[in-house]
Amino acid sequence: MKIVVTAGARPNFVKVAPLIKEMQRYPALLPVLIHTGQHYDHMMSEQFFTELDLQPPDINLGVGSGSHAMQTAEVLRRLEPILEMIKPRAVLVVGDVNSTLGAALTAVKMGIPVAHVEAGLRSFDRTMPEEINRVLTDAISDLLFVTEESGQQNLVREGISREKIHFVGNVMIDALQASKPRWKSSSIFRRLGLESGLPYAVLTLHRPCNVDDPVTLQDLLEALQVLARHMPILFPVHPRVKPKLLRQPNLFWPQPNAGESLPGKGISCLDPLGYLDCIALMSRARVVLTDSGGIQEETTILGVPCLTLRETTERPITVTHGTNRVIGTDPARIVKETLLALEHPSLPPPPPPFWDGRAAERIVRILNAYGASHRSPVVRTHRQSTGVSA
Ligand code: UD1
């Protein structure tokens, strides 16, 4: 039973790693890993495969960067002939990136069942490209694997039948737990010259709403500079954000391997980190400031205060059962909330239901049973004539 597993962007690789490993334990399942190529830099892609002990992709579609329409369309165009050749029993997609929607749409149009891992999350903000990807992917999926209670509720409200929905937990936490011995022994602290016990904050920013408008970015950086007077802020920079930061004053850019220690205060911009270094760095931070979705979840389990620099979260469980606070982007509020979090750290609550490192087990068990009880799909392409009829 061939299952095509697709992944395109950094957080996708983290999610598919435990799933592929689990599928390999089932003699009846043959996972075929297809990388769309949405992320392609070594530190955004290959490094994750190595560190997560994930087999290299069987196929790379090489889609690369582009507008959202182009990126999504290229996934559709390049994936279709491959699915036609492989004729998988199902296509499994994860998360909410453009590659997720592109792969799901290709499969459903060919009559191939779609399984969506991390279904049902909603920010209710349709200006976010990810929200569009989530709503549309869920609408065309046959198996919807949800990470938290809100996901079930959202899907039921949208009219998705309950039999398709499976509350299984969070594969991102599977990856975090499985790699614990390795991130615990990361050498990132030594490489950055971070003295043990030195308090620091970690910052990540990449959402278009925060980094694309120069005024918003400037406001955010001003608030962060105020905080950086209290403790150093370490900022691994996404490649799309780097050109926007190079014009900004008062940012420190340490040279790789220059043996140079970080300054005791201020914002230090780092190259993108690998998975293990990133988790290690967050695990010892006093606070994490972010606009990422996955980091809200990872800090929940790491027990590190997380302040989300957005107006909404699609992951409300990280607020009710975790360490996350959604504080928006108002500079004065960012400063106030961060100082408050530093002064009054709260004890991390117990993990959310099913965030126990066994989500992939549950998913693959269900997928296997689904495959065994459903006939192979008749894969179709509905080729249209391109000729002009007289
Ligand atoms: C994508 C996802 C976002 C996710 C993020 C994780 C969408 C709509 N967005 O955002 O939900 O949180 O991945 O990181 O799918 N670039 C490189 N090297 C790379 C990849 C990207 O330089 O390996 C640069 C290019 O300039 C590219 C830009 O980053 O145009 C944006 O990349 P893209 O994949 O479109 O979106 P992300 O911002 O990474």
Side-chain angles (χ1 to χ4, degrees):
M1 191 158 47
K2 286 185 199 155
I3 308 286
V4 161
V5 177
T6 63
R10 213 162 37 163
N12 291 173
F13 311 137
V14 180
K15 290 165 199 164
V16 299
L19 289 163
I20 295 271
K21 237 168 258 163
E22 184 62 18
M23 281 186 203
Q24 284 165 342
R25 299 195 329 114
Y26 282 70
L29 295 181
L30 178 62
V32 180
L33 179 57
I34 300 187
H35 187 328
T36 65
Q38 178 173 346
H39 282 179
Y40 44 84
D41 283 353
H42 176 83
M43 290 307 286
M44 303 288 284
S45 175
E46 220 176 306
Q47 177 80 2
F48 279 70
F49 281 73
T50 312
E51 293 194 348
L52 290 157
D53 210 7
L54 180 58
Q55 63 181 64
D58 295 290
I59 296 165
N60 190 323
L61 302 180
V63 160
S65 300
S67 70
H68 286 216
M70 271 170 58
Q71 205 171 46
T72 315
E74 280 304 311
V75 174
L76 281 145
R77 200 173 69 81
R78 297 182 192 206
L79 184 58
E80 185 186 53
I82 289 167
L83 294 184
E84 200 176 6
M85 195 174 65
I86 298 175
K87 299 196 182 358
R89 185 68 67 92
V91 169
L92 184 143
V93 300
V94 298
D96 56 13
V97 303
N98 288 342
S99 298
T100 311
L101 175 62
L105 194 51
T106 314
V108 76
K109 290 235 173 206
M110 298 176 75
I112 304 168
V114 176
H116 184 203
V117 172
E118 205 185 86
L121 297 180
R122 296 290 180 269
S123 66
F124 303 102
D125 173 3
R126 293 221 175 166
T127 64
M128 283 180 78
E130 294 81 6
E131 183 74 354
I132 306 296
N133 294 340
R134 289 190 277 260
V135 170
L136 296 180
T137 303
D138 287 341
I140 55 177
S141 292
D142 300 90
L143 287 165
L144 296 103
F145 295 111
V146 305
T147 52
E148 59 167 282
E149 185 57 38
S150 76
Q152 296 203 87
Q153 292 161 1
N154 295 331
L155 293 173
V156 170
R157 195 175 334 103
E158 288 171 21
I160 291 176
S161 94
R162 281 181 189 274
E163 303 91 78
K164 291 184 178 178
I165 306 170
H166 304 273
F167 182 17
V168 290
N170 193 330
V171 285
M172 210 159 201
I173 305 308
D174 293 11
L176 184 87
Q177 294 192 347
S179 57
K180 191 166 180 178
R182 282 181 294 144
W183 56 259
K184 279 270 184 196
S185 56
S186 157
S187 60
I188 183 79
F189 306 100
R190 183 177 45 75
R191 287 180 356 252
L192 289 177
L194 265 180
E195 290 159 36
S196 94
L198 177 83
Y200 64 89
V202 171
L203 166 71
T204 81
L205 279 181
H206 75 284
R207 297 262 161 226
C209 61
N210 281 340
V211 298
D212 284 0
D213 171 27
V215 177
T216 310
L217 181 62
Q218 184 69 39
D219 283 355
L220 277 170
L221 288 172
E222 273 168 25
L224 294 161
Q225 291 287 6
V226 174
L227 294 170
R229 286 190 216 129
H230 296 262
M231 65 173 68
I233 297 182
L234 306 180
F235 181 11
V237 177
H238 186 297
R240 78 186 293 271
V241 185
K242 189 169 181 179
K244 302 166 204 280
L245 295 179
L246 289 173
R247 294 189 291 271
Q248 295 285 338
N250 305 324
L251 295 176
F252 178 62
W253 295 87
Q255 294 304 307
N257 305 322
E260 170 182 30
S261 283
L262 298 178
K265 300 266 163 68
I267 302 178
S268 293
C269 298
L270 313 173
D271 283 335
L273 293 172
Y275 176 70
L276 300 173
D277 286 343
C278 185
I279 299 288
L281 203 59
M282 291 196 297
S283 72
R284 293 198 207 164
R286 290 285 300 278
V287 65
V288 172
L289 296 125
T290 190
D291 57 9
S292 148
I295 288 179
Q296 296 171 46
E297 300 184 333
E298 287 161 343
T299 46
T300 283
I301 296 302
L302 294 171
V304 175
C306 175
L307 298 172
T308 296
L309 306 177
R310 289 171 40 191
E311 303 301 333
T312 57
T313 182
E314 58 289 330
R315 294 161 158 91
I317 193 103
T318 60
V319 176
T320 55
H321 282 60
T323 55
N324 188 23
R325 284 172 62 78
V326 181
I327 62 167
T329 53
D330 172 61
R333 183 159 182 220
I334 293 174
V335 173
K336 194 173 133 220
E337 296 272 4
T338 310
L339 294 178
L340 208 66
L342 292 172
E343 278 161 27
H344 306 285
S346 49
L347 279 179
F354 295 143
W355 290 27
D356 56 359
R358 304 183 66 181
E361 267 178 48
R362 299 185 190 98
I363 292 170
V364 176
R365 199 181 310 129
I366 295 165
L367 200 59
N368 185 52
Y370 177 90
S373 62
H374 286 71
R375 286 206 290 165
S376 291
V378 178
V379 174
R380 52 176 196 265
T381 47
H382 298 297
R383 274 218 173 74
Q384 307 287 329
S385 159
T386 49
V388 180
S389 56

mmCIF file of all heavy atoms in Angstrom, residues 34 43 73 84 95 131 194 302 321 350:
data_model
loop_
_atom_site.group_PDB
_atom_site.id
_atom_site.type_symbol
_atom_site.label_atom_id
_atom_site.label_comp_id
_atom_site.label_asym_id
_atom_site.label_seq_id
_atom_site.Cartn_x
_atom_site.Cartn_y
_atom_site.Cartn_z
ATOM 1 N N ILE A 34 7.765 12.810 -0.900
ATOM 2 C CA ILE A 34 7.946 13.805 -1.971
ATOM 3 C C ILE A 34 8.142 15.190 -1.352
ATOM 4 O O ILE A 34 7.296 15.683 -0.620
ATOM 5 C CB ILE A 34 6.743 13.821 -2.945
ATOM 6 C CG1 ILE A 34 6.594 12.430 -3.587
ATOM 7 C CG2 ILE A 34 6.942 14.895 -4.012
ATOM 8 C CD1 ILE A 34 5.551 12.345 -4.683
ATOM 9 N N MET A 43 20.116 25.095 5.149
ATOM 10 C CA MET A 43 19.687 25.219 6.550
ATOM 11 C C MET A 43 18.165 25.209 6.704
ATOM 12 O O MET A 43 17.648 25.131 7.815
ATOM 13 C CB MET A 43 20.260 26.489 7.183
ATOM 14 C CG MET A 43 21.745 26.441 7.415
ATOM 15 S SD MET A 43 22.273 24.987 8.359
ATOM 16 C CE MET A 43 21.710 25.399 10.008
ATOM 17 N N ALA A 73 0.563 26.560 -7.827
ATOM 18 C CA ALA A 73 0.303 26.012 -9.163
ATOM 19 C C ALA A 73 1.422 25.064 -9.600
ATOM 20 O O ALA A 73 1.172 24.039 -10.225
ATOM 21 C CB ALA A 73 0.152 27.155 -10.167
ATOM 22 N N GLU A 84 0.281 10.072 -10.903
ATOM 23 C CA GLU A 84 -0.262 9.214 -11.950
ATOM 24 C C GLU A 84 0.615 7.962 -12.097
ATOM 25 O O GLU A 84 0.122 6.852 -12.282
ATOM 26 C CB GLU A 84 -0.299 9.995 -13.259
ATOM 27 C CG GLU A 84 -1.249 9.422 -14.269
ATOM 28 C CD GLU A 84 -1.325 10.291 -15.525
ATOM 29 O OE1 GLU A 84 -0.566 11.271 -15.677
ATOM 30 O OE2 GLU A 84 -2.158 9.964 -16.378
ATOM 31 N N GLY A 95 0.379 20.208 7.997
ATOM 32 C CA GLY A 95 0.503 21.645 8.224
ATOM 33 C C GLY A 95 -0.363 22.494 7.311
ATOM 34 O O GLY A 95 -1.444 22.072 6.870
ATOM 35 N N GLU A 131 -4.203 30.423 6.764
ATOM 36 C CA GLU A 131 -5.600 30.153 7.112
ATOM 37 C C GLU A 131 -6.363 29.660 5.874
ATOM 38 O O GLU A 131 -7.168 28.738 5.954
ATOM 39 C CB GLU A 131 -6.244 31.419 7.698
ATOM 40 C CG GLU A 131 -7.677 31.237 8.176
ATOM 41 C CD GLU A 131 -7.811 30.452 9.486
ATOM 42 O OE1 GLU A 131 -6.803 29.923 9.997
ATOM 43 O OE2 GLU A 131 -8.949 30.380 10.000
ATOM 44 N N LEU A 194 27.882 31.456 24.666
ATOM 45 C CA LEU A 194 26.867 31.809 25.677
ATOM 46 C C LEU A 194 27.271 31.198 27.009
ATOM 47 O O LEU A 194 27.277 29.968 27.145
ATOM 48 C CB LEU A 194 25.523 31.217 25.278
ATOM 49 C CG LEU A 194 24.528 32.051 24.510
ATOM 50 C CD1 LEU A 194 23.269 31.244 24.240
ATOM 51 C CD2 LEU A 194 24.192 33.330 25.241
ATOM 52 N N LEU A 302 8.314 22.566 26.238
ATOM 53 C CA LEU A 302 9.598 22.889 26.867
ATOM 54 C C LEU A 302 9.397 23.630 28.191
ATOM 55 O O LEU A 302 10.327 23.763 28.984
ATOM 56 C CB LEU A 302 10.456 23.748 25.924
ATOM 57 C CG LEU A 302 10.932 23.066 24.636
ATOM 58 C CD1 LEU A 302 11.577 24.094 23.698
ATOM 59 C CD2 LEU A 302 11.921 21.945 24.933
ATOM 60 N N HIS A 321 -3.475 25.583 27.969
ATOM 61 C CA HIS A 321 -2.749 24.485 28.605
ATOM 62 C C HIS A 321 -1.244 24.668 28.551
ATOM 63 O O HIS A 321 -0.504 23.749 28.883
ATOM 64 C CB HIS A 321 -3.052 23.158 27.905
ATOM 65 C CG HIS A 321 -4.360 22.569 28.273
ATOM 66 N ND1 HIS A 321 -5.535 23.220 28.047
ATOM 67 C CD2 HIS A 321 -4.679 21.392 28.836
ATOM 68 C CE1 HIS A 321 -6.533 22.451 28.456
ATOM 69 N NE2 HIS A 321 -6.039 21.350 28.947
ATOM 70 N N PRO A 350 0.585 20.845 33.007
ATOM 71 C CA PRO A 350 0.811 19.537 32.360
ATOM 72 C C PRO A 350 0.511 19.611 30.861
ATOM 73 O O PRO A 350 -0.257 20.474 30.436
ATOM 74 C CB PRO A 350 -0.177 18.605 33.070
ATOM 75 C CG PRO A 350 -1.067 19.456 33.875
ATOM 76 C CD PRO A 350 -0.480 20.817 33.997
#
